[in-house]
Amino acid sequence: MSTRDLVQEALHSLEANKGRSLLTILGIVIGIASVIAMTSLIGGIQNSLVNSLGLNAARMVQIYSSQELTDSDVEKLRKMVPQIEQIGIVDSAYSEYKVGDKSYTVMAQGVDSDMLDAVGASKIVAGRTYSDIESKSGARVALIGRGGAEQLYGNEQDAIGKTIKVSSGDVQIIGVIDGGNDSMGSLSLYMPRATIAELYGDDNPSFPSVTALAAEGTDMDELCKTIESKVRSMKGISEDDEYESVSASSMKSAIDALNSFMGAFSLIMGAVAGISLLVGGIGIMNMMLTNVTERIREIGIRRALGASRRDITAQFLAESSALCITGGILGVVIGYLLAWGLTFFAAKSGIMSEFGATGTITPSFSITTVLIAFAVSVGIGVIFGFYPARRAAKLDPVECLRYQ
C-alpha cells in the first residue's frame, strides 16, 4: 500500500467518525495548547522582566558601604579597577504625588547624564534625555518610566512637557524611558543629582548608593570581590569588622535566579501538560481498539484481497498518527490564541506590573517548541496506536470473514 493510499484511508476514517475523533483528540489538543501557551507566556514575561532591568542589567554592580562613598572615592575606584566602564553615585528618594483622589508613590533617582546608560535609563521611547549642562546646573527636568506615563497620561507622547510635584517642587517630564520599576500606584523618575539635592531636604532626605557598569566580558563574581577589596582598603574596613561592612552585588545573579525560576516553572507546566497528553494517548488507544473491533470484517476482506500484516499495521498506525497530528495542529493554533489572550489579560489587569514587568508583554513563540509539540503528537500516535495496529494485523483472515 502506497503512502498516498495510507493518507487517504486515514483521512477517510477521521471523516467517517468526526464527533468521536474530536472527542478522542481532546486530551492531545489540551496538552499541546497548554505547552504552547504557557511556554510562550513565560518567555514573554521573562523578556519583559529582563527588559525592565535595562539592556545592561547583567553588567550592573551595586556597591554599598557603611562608610559613605564620596565623589572622590568613586573616582579613585574607577582608576583602581580597570574592568569598570562607568561608575557614579545614584541618589534615591521617595515622596507622594496626588492627582485628584489618586495617590502615587514617586521613586526618584538622582542620576547624572553620563550614568543613565549604566542604570538602564537611556532607552528613550518618547522625548529626550537631559543633557550634561542640564545635569550640572540642576535643571528641573526628569525622565519617567513607560508604565508611569501610561498610568498618569494614558500614553508616552502625552506625558512629554507635563509637570509632576516631587517633594518641595515641580519637575518637567522631558522623556519617557523603556524601563523603570513602575507598578500600580508607583512612578519611577530619573533626574539630575543636583536637582534631587535641591528638591529633597533634611526633612525628606535622599539616600546615595554607588552603581558601576562593567566592561563587556567581565567575570562579574571576580569583579564584585575586587571592588569589595578595594573599597575596604580605601576606607580602612577589615573583613571581620562587626560594625562596618562593604558589599558589591551584580544584577547577573538576579537575572540567573530569574531564568532558573522561569525554567523550573516551565518544567512544572510541561509535566502538567504531559499528563494531559498521556490521557489523550490512552483515549486514542481506546478508540483504535474500538475501530479494530468494528472493522474486523473489513480487515478480513483486505487480507483476502492480498493485504499483508504490514499493510494492516501501517493503515491503523496512519489513522492514529492522523488523529494526533490533527490534535497537534489544533493545539498549536489554540495555544497561540490563548497565549495572546493571557498576555492581554495580564497587561490590562496590571498583574504583571506588580512583579516589575513594564510595557507590553509579548508572547515569546519558539519554533523549537512547536516542532517538539508536533514530534510528541506523532510519537503518541505511533506509541499508543501500535498495540491496536498489531492486534488488527494478527487477526485470522478466515475468522474475520466469518465475523458478523
Side-chain angles (χ1 to χ4, degrees):
M1 184 179 290
S2 67
T3 302
R4 182 179 178 180
D5 291 336
L6 283 174
V7 173
Q8 288 179 343
E9 287 290 339
L11 293 178
H12 177 73
S13 176
L14 288 177
E15 188 177 358
N17 300 281
K18 294 178 182 177
R20 184 196 295 178
S21 299
L22 287 175
L23 290 174
T24 301
I25 65 176
L26 190 59
I28 302 296
V29 173
I30 293 174
I32 298 298
S34 299
V35 170
I36 298 297
M38 295 313 300
T39 55
S40 301
L41 178 62
I42 291 170
I45 293 172
Q46 184 174 352
N47 292 337
S48 180
L49 289 172
V50 173
N51 288 337
S52 69
L53 296 175
L55 295 176
N56 297 316
R59 296 192 289 141
M60 286 173 57
V61 179
Q62 301 293 331
I63 305 168
Y64 300 93
S65 173
S66 55
Q67 293 186 26
E68 186 176 325
L69 294 173
T70 64
D71 290 320
S72 176
D73 294 329
V74 169
E75 189 58 34
K76 290 178 182 177
L77 195 58
R78 184 200 304 269
K79 295 178 181 178
M80 288 190 292
V81 185
Q83 296 93 333
I84 293 178
E85 189 173 289
Q86 292 178 325
I87 186 170
I89 297 175
V90 177
D91 297 313
S92 302
Y94 298 86
S95 59
E96 293 296 320
Y97 175 59
K98 292 186 177 180
V99 181
D101 58 348
K102 291 185 178 180
S103 180
Y104 298 91
T105 299
V106 177
M107 300 178 289
Q109 303 285 316
V111 184
D112 287 334
S113 58
D114 60 348
M115 281 292 294
L116 288 171
D117 188 49
V119 298
S122 61
K123 189 176 181 181
I124 295 291
V125 295
R128 64 178 180 86
T129 61
Y130 45 83
S131 65
D132 187 51
I133 295 175
E134 289 174 319
S135 182
K136 291 178 179 178
S137 65
R140 293 197 173 186
V141 293
L143 308 177
I144 190 172
R146 172 184 276 174
E150 291 176 350
Q151 286 186 71
L152 291 176
Y153 310 109
N155 60 70
E156 297 88 351
Q157 291 295 337
D158 288 346
I160 305 302
K162 299 296 192 303
T163 59
I164 292 181
K165 183 174 178 58
V166 177
S167 188
S168 63
D170 294 337
V171 293
Q172 184 182 44
I173 298 173
I174 62 170
V176 180
I177 62 170
D178 186 14
N181 296 314
D182 306 286
S183 59
M184 296 301 291
S186 67
L187 313 170
S188 295
L189 290 180
Y190 294 85
M191 61 191 72
R193 289 187 62 207
T195 305
I196 206 171
E198 180 184 353
L199 295 176
Y200 288 86
D202 295 334
D203 295 334
N204 190 15
S206 60
F207 301 94
S209 62
V210 178
T211 298
L213 182 67
E216 290 281 1
T218 301
D219 185 325
M220 299 306 294
D221 293 332
E222 286 298 320
L223 177 61
C224 289
K225 292 178 182 178
T226 301
I227 291 174
E228 289 179 0
S229 175
K230 296 298 183 183
V231 173
R232 285 196 182 95
S233 176
M234 191 187 307
K235 292 295 187 179
I237 301 174
S238 63
E239 291 189 25
D240 55 355
D241 196 317
E242 297 180 3
Y243 305 101
E244 304 284 355
S245 62
V246 175
S247 67
S249 58
S250 72
M251 294 299 293
K252 182 178 182 297
S253 58
I255 293 175
D256 289 343
L258 172 65
N259 291 335
S260 177
F261 171 77
M262 289 299 185
F265 191 62
S266 296
L267 286 176
I268 293 173
M269 295 308 303
V272 173
I275 295 173
S276 178
L277 291 173
L278 177 62
V279 173
I282 294 172
I284 286 174
M285 180 183 286
N286 182 58
M287 177 183 173
M288 295 307 299
L289 287 172
T290 303
N291 282 350
V292 171
T293 302
E294 292 177 347
R295 296 161 63 185
I296 288 179
R297 188 169 180 80
E298 176 191 330
I299 295 169
I301 293 173
R302 288 179 180 273
R303 291 297 305 278
L305 293 175
S308 65
R309 287 185 174 181
R310 178 178 294 180
D311 292 332
I312 301 298
T313 301
Q315 177 188 345
F316 280 90
L317 279 179
E319 290 179 13
S320 62
S321 297
L323 281 171
C324 289
I325 291 174
T326 303
I329 293 172
L330 291 174
V332 170
V333 173
I334 293 173
Y336 180 86
L337 298 175
L338 185 60
W340 277 106
L342 290 173
T343 53
F344 179 79
F345 170 76
K348 289 298 182 182
S349 64
I351 293 175
M352 293 317 303
S353 62
E354 298 295 334
F355 297 93
T358 60
T360 303
I361 303 173
T362 304
S364 178
F365 294 102
S366 170
I367 297 298
T368 302
T369 303
V370 174
L371 293 177
I372 291 175
F374 270 107
V376 170
S377 297
V378 175
I380 289 174
V382 173
I383 293 172
F384 288 91
F386 183 76
Y387 173 70
R390 289 303 297 168
R391 182 176 177 180
K394 290 180 178 180
L395 291 174
D396 188 325
V398 177
E399 295 296 327
C400 289
L401 292 173
R402 291 176 178 173
Y403 186 80
Q404 299 294 329

